[in-house]
């Protein structure tokens, strides 16, 4: 087995450079369907992160016991168990949120991100790294879900984190931003086309940030040699 | 700037700006008729839409590091703006026109690569975007001139569009009126027969009063385009024929619950769509056979949505649906090159 990745690489790849929602474009179904508000996106993202971290850890623990021929059914069983746990926990403590997200909680079982990480990372790495990878990838996805949800919510109804108390309790109300009650939003943003357009814009934004970062990186590296000063980029 | 023109060197060259200028010219009679029946609103919307579209196009071209003058000079943004202004209600608030034009030019056209690369018709995409987002504003039509209780002066129209204030003593209920397609649908849903429905001053010879004349003048413009060979007959004829045949079949089965074909042809955006929107050279099919299929399916879709769908008119939806199907249709209708046999499989 090849050398394990460093902690720093795992975190930066999971959250940004190999962000499963923006780069790998995995798990699009919940991404497009549940991000009608920042609260929904955050709830969905946290539920996915919980399942992903636990399943990554478990898959890593049993990786030497499972024969390759039956690994996929085993992964699915592991994931399904954790999804059931998360679903019951949400039913008990975040009942309204559970009603809002509805079927999509159960559908975390078939989220490609989770089985993808189990297959490509957890089954080949130590438990601590697998847990960290699950957490990083989950947070990266949560970031996208929340941003897209906030964006769509803002365009459609002029609010951000509307009904945050469903997820965060009474303290969540402080998070809700409301930009004027007579705002006439574009309804299309919370309909399916808005999800696709919003996701496309987020991907474009990420590529733009990356391009700026790439342009700056060589300039910083090349400061030392004299030639670079003679021909500034 | 010098333009390089490739051979054959014939006097008439199909340059984009000339085609677009032809299209604009052909739209003039229809627009005059619309202004006659619906007042100044169309012209105000037209000026606003063209301004917004040109500014948006120039801004994106500057951001892409290209010359904005060439992009504006080909007049395609102007045609998009004009088609949009014709499609929307005459008293649309100015900021909806702004939203629509930014959506059309920036998202639908330039993000896909600009002139010649957009898979969807920008004007229709903007129309659908607004129709879905702001259904009330996008379906509030005025009554045509001879039926209206109040005829708007230029300043009143301007104030209504820019500021949203109606002239004193009027409210929207008094000045707005259902379009002929709306009226027909609504009354048919109440189980009235066509004979009963047409006992109303709203109706003219075949379609709605006023509306049928607008359609007629767009038809005249379309025929001008055919005569100039700016467009070919394939898409408009197949689309209108398909619409006429579909509605004809249902009309002959039951003339009291299905309006006759001429009503379908001269209502809504059928004529405008057939000659000016579906024929957009960028987003339509390019093979002759493909164009016939493209137009026919638009016609069938328009009839289906008008009759059983959720919206009274469907030209924009039908055109957008077929826009995305056009590359596939083109792929399967490649003409056989002379001298080459059929492909053996």
């Amino acid at each position: 087995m090849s050398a394990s990745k460093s902690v720093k690489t795992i975190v930066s790849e999971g959250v940004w450079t190999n962000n499963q929602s923006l780069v790998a474009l995995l798990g699009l179904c919940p991404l497009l369907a549940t991000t009608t508000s920042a609260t929904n996106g955050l709830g969905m993202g946290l539920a996915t992160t919980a399942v992903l971290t636990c399943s990554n850890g478990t898959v890593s623990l049993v990786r030497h016991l499972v024969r390759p021929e039956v690994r996929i059914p085993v992964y699915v069983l592991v994931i399904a168990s954790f999804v059931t746990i998360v679903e019951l926990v949400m039913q008990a403590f975040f009942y309204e949120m559970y009603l809002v997200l509805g079927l999509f909680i159960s559908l975390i079982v078939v989220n490609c991100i989770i089985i993808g990480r189990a297959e490509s990372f957890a089954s080949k790495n130590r438990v601590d790294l697998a847990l960290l990878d699950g957490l990083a990838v989950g947070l990266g996805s949560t970031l996208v879900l929340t941003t897209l949800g906030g964006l769509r919510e803002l365009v459609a109804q002029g609010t951000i984190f509307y009904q945050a108390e469903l997820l965060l309790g009474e303290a969540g109300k402080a998070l809700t931003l409301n930009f004027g009650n007579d705002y006439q939003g574009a309804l299309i943003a919370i309909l399916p086309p808005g999800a696709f357009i919003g996701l496309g814009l987020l991907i474009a934004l990420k590529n733009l940030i990356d391009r700026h970062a790439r342009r700056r990186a060589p300039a910083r590296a090349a400061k030392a040699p004299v030639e670079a000063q003679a021909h500034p980029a | 700037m010098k333009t390089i023109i490739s051979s054959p060197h014939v006097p008439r060259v199909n340059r984009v700006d000339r085609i677009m200028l032809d299209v604009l010219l052909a739209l003039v009679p229809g627009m005059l008729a619309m202004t006659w029946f619906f007042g100044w609103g169309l012209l105000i919307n037209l000026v606003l839409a063209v301004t917004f579209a040109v500014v948006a196009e120039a801004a994106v071209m500057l951001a892409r590091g290209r010359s904005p003058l060439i992009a504006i000079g080909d007049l395609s943004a102007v045609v998009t703006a004009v088609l949009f202004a014709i499609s929307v209600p005459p008293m649309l608030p100015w900021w909806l026109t702004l939203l629509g034009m930014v959506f059309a030019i920036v998202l639908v056209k330039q993000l896909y690569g600009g002139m010649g690369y957009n898979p969807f018709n920008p004007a229709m995409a903007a129309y659908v975007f607004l129709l879905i987002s702001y259904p009330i504003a996008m379906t509030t039509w005025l009554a045509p001139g001879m039926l209206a209780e109040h005829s708007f002066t230029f300043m009143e129209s301007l104030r209504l569009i820019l500021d949203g204030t109606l002239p004193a003593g009027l409210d929207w209920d008094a000045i707005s009126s259902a379009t002929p397609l709306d009226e027909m649908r609504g009354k048919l849903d109440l189980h009235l027969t066509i004979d009963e429905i047409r006992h109303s001053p709203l109706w003219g010879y075949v379609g709605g009063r006023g509306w049928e004349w607008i359609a007629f003048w767009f038809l005249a413009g379309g025929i001008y385009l055919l005569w100039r060979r700016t467009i070919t007959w394939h898409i408009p004829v197949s689309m209108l024929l398909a619409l006429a045949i579909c509605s004809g079949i249902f009309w002959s089965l039951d003339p009291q619950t299905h309006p006759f074909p001429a009503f379908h042809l001269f209502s809504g955006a059928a004529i405008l769509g057939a000659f000016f929107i579906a024929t957009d050279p960028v987003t339509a099919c390019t093979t002759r056979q493909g164009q016939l299929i493209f137009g026919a399916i638009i016609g069938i879709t328009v009839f289906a949505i008008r009759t059983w769908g959720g919206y009274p008119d469907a030209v924009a939806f039908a055109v957008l649906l077929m826009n995305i199907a056009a590359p596939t249709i083109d792929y399967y209708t490649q003409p056989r090159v002379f001298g080459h046999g059929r492909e053996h499989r």
Side-chain angles (χ1 to χ4, degrees):
Chain A
M1 198 180 289
S2 61
S4 306
K5 287 182 188 167
S6 74
V7 170
K8 201 180 156 194
T9 331
I10 292 174
V11 173
S12 73
E13 281 196 351
V15 175
W16 189 259
T17 45
N18 193 22
N19 187 303
Q20 296 290 298
S21 300
L22 288 186
V23 180
L25 293 182
L26 289 179
L28 286 190
C29 171
L31 179 71
L32 298 171
T34 63
T35 56
T36 48
S37 75
T39 313
N40 292 358
L42 184 63
M44 191 67 203
L46 291 180
T48 313
T49 306
V51 173
L52 182 56
T53 312
C54 298
S55 75
N56 254 14
T58 315
V59 166
S60 175
L61 276 176
V62 299
R63 68 185 191 278
H64 297 304
L65 306 174
V66 177
R67 295 181 62 81
E69 294 86 350
V70 294
R71 66 188 196 285
I72 300 289
V74 170
Y75 298 163
V76 172
L77 278 178
V78 168
I79 297 166
S81 318
F82 285 115
V83 169
T84 311
I85 294 172
V86 165
E87 197 172 359
L88 291 174
V89 168
M90 286 191 76
Q91 226 168 335
F93 297 103
F94 307 99
Y95 187 61
E96 275 128 342
M97 195 73 219
Y98 168 80
L99 288 183
V100 171
L101 293 178
L103 187 64
F104 285 96
I105 303 284
S106 319
L107 283 178
I108 295 177
V109 177
V110 287
N111 191 323
C112 309
I113 297 178
I114 296 172
I115 200 143
R117 293 324 288 174
E119 169 75 7
S120 69
F121 193 91
S123 61
K124 297 168 190 160
N125 285 284
R126 289 205 320 264
V127 179
D128 53 344
L129 294 181
L131 284 171
L132 182 71
D133 178 75
L135 196 64
V137 168
L139 288 181
S141 212
T142 308
L143 189 71
V144 177
L145 282 157
T146 315
T147 315
L148 184 59
L151 194 75
R152 293 174 67 188
E153 187 185 350
L154 179 67
V155 175
Q157 55 184 23
T159 62
I160 293 180
F161 278 114
Y162 179 69
Q163 288 191 323
E165 65 271 14
L166 294 188
L167 188 66
L168 305 168
E170 284 304 300
K173 277 186 179 161
L175 209 57
T176 307
L177 292 175
N178 192 349
F179 300 90
N181 285 322
D182 51 354
Y183 173 76
Q184 288 180 287
L187 204 60
I188 196 171
I190 51 169
L191 297 173
F196 282 101
I197 296 171
L199 179 65
L201 292 177
L202 282 186
I203 294 173
L205 182 69
K206 181 187 180 290
N207 291 346
L208 191 72
I209 294 172
D210 282 349
R211 192 194 290 174
H212 272 278
R214 259 203 309 281
R215 248 184 230 157
R216 235 175 263 166
R220 234 182 292 143
K223 254 183 187 169
V226 189
E227 283 169 73
Q229 283 171 354
H231 307 283
Chain B
M1 201 205 111
K2 276 193 182 134
T3 315
I4 298 169
I5 297 167
S6 71
S7 63
H9 297 285
V10 288
R12 188 165 172 276
V13 184
N14 276 336
R15 270 175 33 199
V16 173
D17 53 351
R18 237 176 258 175
I19 292 177
M20 295 296 168
L21 204 60
D22 254 356
V23 172
L24 290 175
L25 265 180
L27 283 167
V28 167
M31 291 195 291
L32 286 179
M34 272 190 94
T35 312
W36 174 263
F37 288 116
F38 292 105
W40 294 100
L42 170 72
L43 297 184
I44 298 170
N45 277 344
L46 201 70
V47 173
L48 288 175
V50 170
T51 315
F52 295 146
V54 167
V55 169
E57 180 107 330
V60 179
M61 288 313 261
L62 280 177
R64 293 174 67 192
R66 306 201 178 175
S67 158
L69 286 180
I70 296 176
I72 296 168
D74 72 17
L75 293 178
S76 61
V78 177
V79 169
T80 297
V82 170
L83 286 175
F84 174 84
I86 291 171
S87 315
V88 297
M91 294 299 168
L92 194 72
W94 66 274
W95 56 275
L96 285 182
T97 307
L98 174 67
L99 272 184
M101 285 296 91
V102 169
F103 184 82
I105 300 294
V106 178
L107 277 165
V108 182
K109 186 177 176 195
Q110 291 290 352
L111 280 191
Y112 284 96
M115 174 69 188
Y117 292 96
N118 46 305
F120 296 107
N121 185 316
M124 288 303 101
Y127 178 83
V128 166
F129 160 65
L130 291 182
L131 182 64
I132 292 174
S133 296
Y134 303 94
I136 297 175
M138 285 295 284
T139 48
T140 308
W141 276 87
L142 299 181
M146 59 285 197
L147 299 169
E149 293 172 20
H150 178 85
S151 68
F152 281 84
T153 65
F154 178 75
M155 285 314 289
E156 282 171 347
S157 310
L158 198 63
R159 199 171 300 136
L160 185 53
I161 288 172
L162 294 183
D163 191 33
T165 45
L166 287 161
L170 284 177
D171 57 17
W172 277 110
D173 285 343
I175 56 166
S176 64
S177 157
T179 65
L181 284 167
D182 260 336
E183 174 80 6
M184 185 60 88
R185 258 179 92 93
K187 292 281 166 66
L188 281 175
D189 283 348
L190 296 173
H191 301 292
L192 294 174
T193 62
I194 304 263
D195 281 345
E196 289 166 344
I197 295 169
R198 289 184 61 85
H199 270 297
S200 150
L202 226 59
W203 301 99
Y205 301 99
V206 287
R209 256 170 96 183
W211 293 86
E212 55 190 11
W213 284 107
I214 295 170
F216 172 81
W217 285 111
F218 280 129
L219 178 65
I223 290 168
Y224 165 79
L225 284 185
L226 283 176
W227 173 67
R228 291 277 292 172
R229 298 193 188 172
T230 304
I231 59 174
T232 61
W233 58 270
H234 303 77
I235 292 176
V237 168
S238 65
M239 171 178 161
L240 295 177
L241 207 61
L243 182 58
I245 291 173
C246 283
S247 51
I249 292 171
F250 280 89
W251 173 67
S252 61
L253 289 177
D254 188 356
Q256 286 309 323
T257 55
H258 289 96
F260 48 98
F263 168 81
H264 274 287
L265 294 185
F266 282 88
S267 296
I271 300 269
L272 177 73
F275 286 96
F276 295 94
I277 295 167
T279 52
D280 173 10
V282 176
T283 57
C285 281
T286 48
T287 63
R288 293 285 175 257
Q289 202 191 343
Q291 288 177 340
L292 290 175
I293 299 171
F294 178 85
I297 303 184
I298 291 181
I300 295 168
T301 315
V302 168
F303 176 75
I305 300 183
R306 276 184 185 180
T307 311
W308 302 291
Y311 286 88
D313 200 3
V315 173
F317 292 110
V319 167
L320 289 181
L321 272 175
M322 290 313 289
N323 280 165
I324 204 61
T328 315
I329 298 175
D330 273 345
Y331 177 82
Y332 285 107
T333 54
Q334 290 296 323
R336 193 166 57 90
V337 177
F338 182 70
H340 289 250
R342 292 211 172 275
E343 231 179 83
H344 294 288
R345 291 188 190 172

